[in-house]
């Protein structure tokens, strides 16, 4: 063994992972940017067009509609997931022995494939036969009504993703030293004051992490809405990912579709940067 | 909070989490005629015709097999590569490990749609489109950031002294990894493997774009593209949904503690 | 068994300088102790010998052979850790057999070796136990056995006693010394506990910021500390240090300028009396310590510790006279802290 070999050792052990990551994620990430700079119909010769596709975005009303839908979906669903998740976490923290049982129930929405949960909700959203119309007391066209459809998708996402938020926040709650809560009680703080002045500030970093995690997921949402509404009615639920997919694989315009994909990448990248700032100093 | 309120709240949480799935379960065993009206809520008679139909009329078994093969192989690959890399990052401390970990975390947030067009072209060029191998590689690569990150966290929890002891006791770095570090990381491997498996089992966009026939199509794609001649076959979709849901839900419930450990470690341990 | 040499070894970790051009010869069969404050990177010196870490510059020789490029598994050294570092998934037998099996010893030859080593360390009945079932003392015996079993050329011991309670610490300390006497294996031992170092070592190197402040036999360190750092670090309670001017009237400073001298007096050499000659100091408190009582007194803002003279009656607030023999004072350069020979 040469002197340098010991220093190479870790990189040798990491090389399979790094090679696969490069091939399947890093390289395609660069490639998509390159594709976005080309005029490229599938299976035809490519032509370099520079930033034309990005200029085209500015005047594309459907793009702005998709961007608006994406941001609205992310904002509303993440806000609701955090609020509901915090409530559930606070409940679970007091559940005592029943906790294991309830964890099991709470994990179900998390574990169900998104496609399946979309199909389940699609069935419940049926205007005539769906259980939700029955509960509403009259037939409601949940998915066919442009004003309702995006909210219907949000409700589904909240159902599916709140457990993750709740479990994360619960872990954060359990990491808060009990002495602090007891000390607050001894100092004469009521339950609400203790929550406001002790629990919530200590939980804030975890809430932030959950918010960023969920935002990144929500900003790239595809499966749930694609199966539930396909982006309809009249593009009322079309998000950026769905628009990009349609341009890529239905219109077979790989150049413009890739430009849309790069926009999704940039938006989630910004959210990821926020996350990196949160973790900064934490990564050893 | 008083106890009755607590129990009421917890019951509501359980009901809210389980109701859609239970409704789907009921739907899957209702005779076709009863799906035409509501009420009744409960099936008048329990029938398995929808289950028989998806296996007879549609090659659902093939979808299941594809999903199992792809998820299992991708999980093994991600665990193998991920634990090697996680070990190297946590215990060999190469210079630049902070940057490497940061890059890995960044890659884990990559939106699938951002790489779907290049992967489609690359897979076509390599002859891997519509093959199980192609999906396995893509899934393993996509799950790797999570696997590397989680395994690095778990290996960091194994005391340095044990690694050093193994080295002076005569092991190479790889030997110490196999004989000492891996046996001690079994809980971490289980947690990581579960998360990766569930992730692969549920993946949709890549499966949708990279497969075009039964040769490699997976369960989520099958359920999304469920064929219907005149009207949507809700009973059969429900039956397929229940079956597709069982593996991940069963794993999540049986290995509850490991899944929770993995989920929170993935997000919280900085 | 082998001599170990550090040749101009340098190693830095971020802001910590572990070794700055360190050169040192450890003789074959010697019990050598690195003594330094916590967090000064002492353990890293052992990792350098073991090959876990590589020096930034310089090299290490074991038995005369340059260790550059030799991986840990081929250096034939054994290590004992503060945290025991027993393999938790293996039982005691498996732990003791681990280094033998790695060296390719055949299965049948392993058992008698393990049993002999276990018996020698009083672990005979525990071979099937997992480390978690053992007490701290038993664990450290297993760790010693695991190091001893393959007769390495050197033992590297990283604060092996620090996790043990006071009684066990003495017991295992004796065990370590006995093992060393019985087998004569070169031992490099790292600790922050000067008492442990004194009790075990043939020679001690006192470390300060990656350099050796002094390297000598225990008695020599105590009797002739090379600088104020060593003087304070070796011996309990630590040596009193006071400005030379305070001693001007009482002891010969060798004709030196009092302002340029720091004087050192060990508490053992300083006797607190209730009258007579000596430095006049105000008693702050008394610390009974069994065979004797320590007196903490203050003189012009300097705190001094002294031994209560037998029969003396002193109480907090009283004036004490601190007396010492003429040759008891150590003299150091006030600026550099280096020892001045009288």
């Amino acid at each position: 063994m040469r002197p340098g070999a010991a220093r190479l050792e870790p990189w040798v052990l990491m090389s399979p992972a790094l090679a696969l990551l490069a091939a399947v994620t890093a390289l395609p990430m660069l490639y998509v940017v390159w594709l976005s700079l080309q005029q490229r119909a599938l299976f035809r010769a490519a032509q370099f067009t520079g930033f034309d596709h990005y200029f085209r975005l500015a005047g594309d009303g459907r793009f702005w509609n998709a961007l608006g839908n994406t941001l609205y979906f992310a904002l509303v669903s993440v806000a609701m997931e955090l609020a509901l998740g915090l409530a559930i976490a606070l409940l679970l923290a007091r559940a005592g022995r029943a906790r294991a049982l309830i964890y099991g129930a709470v994990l179900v929405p998390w574990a169900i494939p998104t496609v399946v949960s979309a199909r389940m909700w699609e069935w419940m959203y049926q205007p005539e036969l769906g259980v939700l119309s029955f509960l509403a007391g009259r037939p409601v066209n949940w998915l066919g009504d442009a004003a309702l459809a995006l909210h219907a998708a949000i409700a589904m996402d909240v159902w599916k993703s709140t457990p993750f938020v709740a479990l994360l926040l619960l872990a954060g709650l359990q990491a808060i030293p009990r002495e602090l809560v007891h000390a607050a009680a001894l100092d004469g703080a009521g339950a609400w004051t203790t929550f406001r002045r002790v629990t919530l500030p200590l939980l804030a970093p975890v809430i932030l992490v959950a918010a960023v995690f969920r935002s990144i997921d929500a900003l790239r949402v595809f499966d749930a809405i694609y199966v539930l509404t396909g982006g309809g009615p009249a593009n009322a639920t079309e998000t950026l990912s769905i628009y990009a997919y349609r341009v890529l694989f239905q219109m077979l315009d790989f150049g413009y579709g890739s430009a849309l994909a790069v926009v999704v990448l940039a938006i989630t990248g910004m959210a990821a940067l926020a996350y990196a700032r949160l973790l900064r100093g934490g990564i050893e | 909070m008083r106890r009755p309120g607590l129990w009421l709240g917890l019951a509501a949480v359980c009901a809210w989490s389980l109701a859609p799935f239970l409704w789907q379960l009921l739907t899957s065993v209702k005779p076709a005629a009863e799906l035409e009206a509501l009420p009744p809520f409960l099936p008048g008679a329990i029938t398995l015709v929808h289950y028989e139909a998806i296996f007879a009329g549609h090659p659902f078994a093939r979808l299941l097999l594809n999903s199992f093969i792809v998820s299992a192989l991708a999980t093994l690959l991600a665990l193998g590569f991920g634990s090697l890399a996680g070990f190297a990052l946590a215990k060999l401390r190469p210079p630049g490990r902070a940057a490497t970990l940061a890059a890995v975390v960044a890659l884990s947030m990559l939106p699938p749609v951002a790489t779907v067009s290049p992967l489609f072209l690359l897979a076509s060029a390599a002859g891997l489109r519509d093959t199980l191998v192609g999906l396995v590689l893509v899934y393993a690569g996509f799950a790797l950031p999570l696997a590397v990150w989680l395994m690095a966290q778990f290996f960091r929890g194994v005391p340095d002294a044990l690694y050093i002891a193994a080295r002076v006791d005569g092991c190479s770095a790889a030997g110490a990894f196999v004989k000492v570090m891996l046996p001690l990381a079994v809980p971490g491997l289980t947690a990581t493997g579960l998360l990766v498996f569930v992730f692969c089992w549920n993946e949709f966009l890549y499966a949708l774009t990279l497969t075009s026939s039964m040769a490699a199509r997976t369960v989520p794609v099958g359920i999304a593209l469920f064929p219907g001649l005149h009207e949507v076959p809700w009973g059969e979709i429900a039956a397929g949904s229940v079956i597709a849901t069982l593996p991940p839900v069963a794993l999540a419930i049986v290995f509850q503690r490991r899944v929770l450990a993995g989920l929170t470690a993935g997000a919280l341990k900085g | 068994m082998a001599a170990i040499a550090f040749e101009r070894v340098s190693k830095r970790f971020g802001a910590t300088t572990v070794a700055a051009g360190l050169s040192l010869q450890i003789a074959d069969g010697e019990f050598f102790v690195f003594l330094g404050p916590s967090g000064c990177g002492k353990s890293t010196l052992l990792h350098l010998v073991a090959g876990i870490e590589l020096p930034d510059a310089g090299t290490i020789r074991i038995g005369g052979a340059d260790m550059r490029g030799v991986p840990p598994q081929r250096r034939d050294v054994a290590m004992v850790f503060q945290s025991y570092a027993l393999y938790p998934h293996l039982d005691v037998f498996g732990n003791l057999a681990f280094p033998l099996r790695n060296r390719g010893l055949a299965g049948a030859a392993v058992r008698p070796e393990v049993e002999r080593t276990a018996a020698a360390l009083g672990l005979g009945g525990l071979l099937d136990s997992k480390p978690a079932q053992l007490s701290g003392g038993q664990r450290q015996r297993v760790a010693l056995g695991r190091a001893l079993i393959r007769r390495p050329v050197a033992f590297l011991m990283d604060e092996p006693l620090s996790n043990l309670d006071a009684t066990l610490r003495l017991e295992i300390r004796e065990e370590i010394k006995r093992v060393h006497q019985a087998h004569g294996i070169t031992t490099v031992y790292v600790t922050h506990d000067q008492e442990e170092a004194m009790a075990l070592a043939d020679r001690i190197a006192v470390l300060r910021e990656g350099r050796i402040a002094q390297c000598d036999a225990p008695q020599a360190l105590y009797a002739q500390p090379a600088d104020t750092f060593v003087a304070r670090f070796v011996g309990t309670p630590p040596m009193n240090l006071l400005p030379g001017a305070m001693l001007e009237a009482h002891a010969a400073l060798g004709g030196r300028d009092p302002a340029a001298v720091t004087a050192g007096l060990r508490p053992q050499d300083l006797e607190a009396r209730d009258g007579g000659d000596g430095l006049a100091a105000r008693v702050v408190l008394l610390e009974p310590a069994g065979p004797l009582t320590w007196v903490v007194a203050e003189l012009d803002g300097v705190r001094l510790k002294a031994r209560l003279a037998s029969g003396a009656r002193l109480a907090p607030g009283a004036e004490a006279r601190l007396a010492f023999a003429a040759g008891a004072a150590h003299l150091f350069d006030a600026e550099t802290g280096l020892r001045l020979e009288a």
Side-chain angles (χ1 to χ4, degrees):
Chain A
M1 189 157 120
R2 289 170 297 102
R7 299 187 206 276
L8 275 180
E9 214 164 39
W11 298 101
V12 172
L13 294 179
M14 283 192 279
S15 58
L18 294 180
L20 188 58
L21 277 176
V24 180
T25 59
L27 219 138
M29 206 162 76
L30 298 176
Y31 192 16
V32 76
V33 176
W34 173 239
L35 281 175
S36 76
L37 303 178
Q38 300 177 19
Q39 191 63 47
R40 179 157 189 169
L42 190 53
F43 304 128
R44 287 230 210 98
Q47 189 192 347
F48 185 80
T49 54
F51 290 98
D52 282 7
H53 288 140
Y54 293 96
F55 295 126
R56 185 174 147 195
L57 283 174
D60 181 355
R62 195 168 159 192
F63 163 71
W64 293 107
N65 169 59
L67 180 64
N69 285 342
T70 306
L71 294 179
Y72 184 80
F73 176 87
L75 201 73
V76 177
S77 63
V78 171
M80 290 181 69
E81 282 156 21
L82 287 177
L84 258 174
L86 183 58
I88 293 177
L90 288 170
L91 269 177
L92 282 180
R94 290 149 200 259
R97 281 186 194 180
R99 202 180 279 163
L101 210 68
I102 297 163
Y103 279 167
V106 170
L107 276 172
V108 167
W110 171 81
I112 284 183
T114 312
V115 168
V116 168
S117 70
R119 283 299 210 176
M120 281 165 36
W121 282 76
E122 187 188 359
W123 170 232
M124 295 196 296
Y125 279 139
Q126 285 303 300
E128 305 288 341
L129 302 172
V131 66
L132 291 174
S133 285
F134 175 80
L135 292 178
R138 64 193 169 84
V140 180
N141 197 356
W142 306 95
L143 301 177
D145 182 333
L148 280 179
L150 193 54
H151 296 98
I154 288 172
M156 195 213 97
D157 191 68
V158 168
W159 175 77
K160 171 118 181 74
S161 304
T162 301
F164 171 75
V165 176
L167 294 173
L168 211 59
L169 296 184
L170 180 62
L173 276 177
Q174 286 167 338
I176 295 176
R178 287 183 155 267
E179 293 84 1
L180 285 178
V181 177
H182 291 164
L186 288 177
D187 290 342
W192 172 245
T193 314
T194 307
F195 177 73
R196 272 289 318 278
R197 303 263 171 237
V198 179
T199 312
L200 212 50
L202 287 170
L203 199 58
V206 185
I207 295 179
L208 224 55
V209 167
V212 176
F213 254 60
R214 285 303 313 143
S215 304
I216 289 169
D217 250 13
L219 289 170
R220 62 190 182 187
V221 62
F222 176 81
D223 315 11
I225 298 181
Y226 181 79
V227 175
L228 195 63
T229 64
N235 298 339
T237 59
E238 186 170 79
T239 62
L240 279 178
S241 284
I242 291 180
Y243 184 33
Y245 173 80
R246 282 175 156 179
V247 172
L248 286 169
F249 291 97
Q250 288 172 5
M251 305 176 193
L252 301 181
D253 182 346
F254 265 49
Y256 191 51
S258 294
L260 286 164
V262 170
V263 173
V264 181
L265 182 65
I267 291 175
T268 41
M270 281 188 274
L273 265 181
Y275 181 63
R277 292 192 71 136
L278 290 179
L279 278 190
R280 197 176 46 188
I283 299 174
E284 192 204 47
Chain B
M1 186 183 291
R2 278 162 310 161
R3 303 306 279 178
L6 174 64
W7 290 114
L8 214 66
L10 290 173
V13 169
C14 286
W16 148 263
S17 301
L18 294 176
F21 178 68
L22 293 178
W23 184 242
Q24 195 77 338
L25 189 63
L26 279 181
T27 303
S28 75
V29 295
K30 270 186 184 175
E34 291 184 24
L35 294 174
E36 303 292 320
L38 202 66
F41 278 101
L42 296 176
I46 286 180
T47 171
L48 295 177
V49 289
H50 304 306
Y51 288 90
E52 286 160 17
I54 57 170
F55 283 102
H58 312 292
F60 201 74
R62 181 62 201 255
L63 296 177
L64 279 172
L65 185 68
N66 285 345
S67 269
F68 266 114
I69 293 174
V70 169
S71 305
L73 290 183
T75 303
L76 282 179
L77 208 58
L79 274 187
F81 290 8
S83 56
L84 269 175
F87 161 70
L89 287 168
K91 284 290 173 269
L92 305 187
R93 315 242 168 112
R97 65 182 177 280
T100 311
L101 264 178
V104 161
V105 171
L107 284 181
S108 75
M109 297 171 180
L110 197 68
V113 78
T115 53
V116 80
S117 52
L119 280 175
F120 180 86
L121 295 176
L122 291 171
S124 302
L128 290 175
R129 199 155 59 83
D130 206 23
T131 65
L132 294 177
V133 176
L135 270 193
V136 167
L137 290 177
V138 170
Y139 282 11
F142 223 67
L144 251 182
L146 177 71
V148 172
W149 172 252
L150 282 177
M151 289 316 297
Q153 300 292 352
F154 283 112
F155 280 124
R156 229 203 258 168
V158 176
D160 283 353
L162 282 173
Y163 168 69
I164 297 172
R167 291 305 304 271
V168 294
D169 280 348
C171 295
S172 63
F177 173 68
V178 173
K179 289 183 193 168
V180 175
M181 302 302 285
L182 268 190
L184 296 179
V186 167
L189 284 170
T190 320
T192 308
L194 285 166
L195 291 187
V196 170
F197 185 89
V198 170
F199 168 89
C200 293
W201 182 266
N202 296 354
E203 203 287 327
F204 177 58
L205 181 57
Y206 290 126
L208 179 67
T209 50
L210 297 181
T211 67
S212 51
S213 74
M214 274 300 162
R217 182 167 289 171
T218 59
V219 170
V221 181
I223 287 182
L225 305 180
F226 215 91
L229 278 180
H230 304 294
E231 49 197 35
V232 187
W234 289 113
E236 290 170 27
I237 290 177
S241 297
V242 170
I243 292 176
T245 298
L246 285 182
V249 167
L251 284 177
I253 289 175
V254 173
F255 295 100
Q256 209 186 83
R257 275 185 41 226
R258 297 268 161 264
V259 171
L260 290 173
L263 272 181
T264 45
L268 291 188
K269 282 189 193 158
Chain C
M1 273 152 271
I4 296 172
F6 287 74
E7 295 182 351
R8 294 180 301 282
V9 171
S10 292
K11 179 75 180 174
R12 290 180 61 86
F13 272 130
T16 311
T17 303
V18 174
L22 190 80
S23 287
L24 181 67
Q25 297 282 335
I26 298 170
D28 186 4
E30 188 173 6
F31 199 119
F32 191 90
V33 174
F34 283 114
L35 176 63
S38 303
C40 76
K42 303 182 295 287
S43 302
T44 307
L45 290 175
L46 296 186
H47 296 170
L48 289 168
V49 176
I52 301 294
E53 304 280 356
L54 302 176
D56 299 335
T59 189
I60 286 167
R61 287 176 184 276
I62 299 179
D66 192 333
M67 286 294 118
R68 260 180 290 211
V70 180
Q73 65 270 29
R74 287 202 267 118
R75 294 195 177 190
D76 200 18
V77 297
M79 240 178 129
V80 180
F81 300 84
Q82 175 176 357
S83 58
Y84 322 125
L86 299 182
Y87 307 117
H89 59 302
L90 302 176
D91 57 16
V92 171
F93 185 93
N95 268 280
L96 292 174
F98 191 83
L100 296 179
R101 288 180 173 146
N102 282 329
R103 257 143 238 264
L105 198 63
V110 169
R111 180 158 286 277
E113 278 292 317
V114 169
E115 280 171 353
R116 198 146 45 92
T117 303
L121 288 162
L123 297 165
L126 298 169
L127 286 177
D128 297 328
S129 310
K130 284 283 177 71
Q133 299 167 297
L134 304 180
S135 69
Q138 288 168 332
R139 286 181 207 187
Q140 203 52 298
R141 280 171 196 276
V142 176
L144 269 177
R146 188 178 65 186
L148 186 62
I149 195 162
R150 62 185 158 91
R151 302 297 144 87
V153 298
F155 280 142
L156 308 177
M157 302 201 179
D158 190 355
E159 308 228 3
L161 305 179
S162 300
N163 269 13
L164 300 168
D165 63 40
T167 19
L168 266 176
R169 189 174 299 187
L170 293 181
E171 189 185 316
I172 301 287
R173 189 168 94 186
E174 286 171 17
E175 192 77 41
I176 289 175
K177 194 147 191 173
R178 193 182 63 75
V179 165
H180 180 253
Q181 281 170 0
H183 301 279
I185 296 174
T186 313
T187 303
V188 187
Y189 187 106
V190 150
T191 183
H192 66 271
D193 181 333
Q194 55 90 24
E195 195 188 326
E196 212 171 287
M198 302 282 275
L200 287 167
D202 295 327
R203 270 194 309 157
I204 298 173
V206 181
L207 289 171
R208 186 189 188 187
E209 285 157 14
R211 294 179 193 281
I212 295 179
Q214 189 172 5
C215 178
D216 223 326
Q219 270 315 316
L221 282 186
Y222 185 81
Q224 293 180 306
D227 60 21
T228 49
F229 177 78
V230 178
R232 293 277 299 172
F233 202 70
V234 175
T236 42
M239 184 186 281
N240 298 304
L241 292 179
L242 52 168
M246 283 189 184
L247 285 198
E248 204 178 357
H250 300 273
L253 295 179
R256 292 181 176 86
D257 174 10
V261 173
T262 298
L265 283 166
R266 292 206 180 273
Q268 289 85 348
D269 296 335
L270 198 55
E271 198 171 65
R273 299 172 184 160
D274 50 12
D277 285 340
L279 301 164
R282 178 94 27 215
V283 174
V284 178
L285 52 85
L286 299 170
E287 278 179 356
L292 49 74
T293 297
W294 298 114
V295 177
V296 177
E298 202 175 274
L299 171 59
D300 290 345
V302 179
R303 286 216 163 183
L304 299 170
K305 194 167 247 188
R307 183 163 57 80
L308 183 67
S310 60
R313 290 173 175 280
L314 286 172
E319 190 184 84
R321 289 285 172 168
L322 309 179
F324 55 94
H330 302 256
L331 300 183
F332 303 97
D333 187 299
E335 208 148 306
T336 62
L338 292 176
R339 181 178 190 84
L340 301 170
E341 289 307 330

